[in-house]
Amino acid sequence: MQDYLGIVVLVTSIWVLIDAKTIGVKRGQIQGMGNMGPWGWFFVCLLLWIIGFPFYLAKRSEFKRINGK
């Protein structure tokens, strides 16, 4: 079970990195805790997945709106 959880965390963290680069996420675009670049989001999701992944999903629409995607 732990192996599957580790794979899910790794795969979704890689997806966050790729998605953040695709939609043009850059540090300084928003204020507050979500002020990170793609690699920052990747490491937050990798190390604190239970908090980082849902937080990225919540901020994703804001980044898309800012970048016109």
Side-chain angles (χ1 to χ4, degrees), residues 12-42:
T12 56
S13 297
I14 291 170
W15 175 82
V16 165
L17 175 64
I18 293 167
D19 185 64
K21 286 183 175 185
T22 301
I23 63 175
V25 172
K26 293 183 184 103
R27 184 179 168 108
Q29 288 182 318
I30 64 172
Q31 299 293 320
M33 289 178 44
N35 184 14
M36 293 180 266
W39 284 100
W41 280 109
F42 169 76

